[in-house]
């Protein structure tokens, strides 16, 4: 039996909650204001019961030169603590466009070193 070293506490309270993470078969591009922030063939699709699907992009395929970390932090009892980024020099402070779980709980470890973008603030192209 494999021991879980960093278990998500949310599943104890809600054992019916389901999160699945699968590879995305398509190339995924993230564009904002005509500028490509990310392009990958290694994206992952997260499906979480009660939530819309989220596409996670490997850090290696995100242009962090166009992003800056903000002070925003949130906590999810299923995924862990999230950090946020905004486009460099764009928008007002707090206009986060990307988040990541840099040290996620074991149940979602596949999204470590991956970022997800707010689909209402960027254009995500697949194919």
């Amino acid at each position: 039996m494999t021991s879980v070293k960093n278990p998500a506490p949310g599943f104890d309270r809600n054992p019916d909650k389901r999160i699945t993470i699968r590879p995305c078969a398509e190339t995924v591009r993230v564009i904002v204001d005509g500028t490509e922030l990310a392009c990958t063939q290694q994206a992952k699709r997260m499906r979480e019961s009660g939530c819309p699907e989220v596409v996670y992009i490997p850090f290696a395929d995100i242009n962090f030169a166009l992003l800056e970390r903000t002070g925003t932090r949130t906590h999810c009892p299923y995924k862990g603590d999230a950090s946020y980024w905004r486009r460099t020099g764009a928008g007002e402070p707090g206009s986060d466009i990307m988040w990541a779980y840099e040290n996620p709980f074991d149940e979602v470890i596949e999204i470590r070193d991956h970022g997800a973008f707010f689909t209402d603030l960027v254009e995500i192209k697949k194919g």
Side-chain angles (χ1 to χ4, degrees):
M1 180 176 193
T2 304
S3 66
V4 179
K5 296 177 184 170
N6 186 23
F11 292 107
D12 287 339
R13 294 189 302 267
N14 186 3
D16 294 330
K17 180 77 166 185
R18 297 287 176 252
I19 296 177
T20 58
I21 301 168
R22 303 278 185 258
C24 182
E26 307 161 298
T27 298
V28 176
R29 295 175 58 222
V30 178
I31 299 165
V32 65
D33 297 330
T35 301
E36 186 175 273
L37 296 178
C39 182
T40 188
Q41 295 179 334
Q42 305 298 317
K44 295 182 181 180
R45 293 178 153 185
M46 175 182 281
R47 291 195 172 122
E48 179 176 355
S49 55
C51 300
E53 180 180 274
V54 176
V55 175
Y56 281 85
I57 311 286
F59 280 176
D61 296 326
I62 297 171
N63 187 349
F64 278 94
L66 300 175
L67 299 170
E68 63 185 3
R69 187 183 294 263
T70 69
T72 306
R73 302 285 180 270
T74 59
H75 177 77
C76 172
Y78 304 100
K79 295 181 285 289
D81 296 321
S83 302
Y84 290 76
W85 286 258
R86 70 183 195 132
R87 187 164 173 214
T88 303
E92 298 175 13
S95 56
D96 302 316
I97 63 170
M98 187 189 93
W99 75 91
Y101 294 93
E102 296 177 272
N103 294 296
F105 292 126
D106 291 346
E107 292 87 347
V108 295
I109 199 70
E110 299 97 329
I111 62 169
R112 174 180 261 165
D113 297 328
H114 285 67
F117 291 84
F118 289 101
T119 57
D120 58 333
L121 300 176
V122 302
E123 181 181 3
I124 297 181
K125 293 185 175 184
K126 298 177 188 171

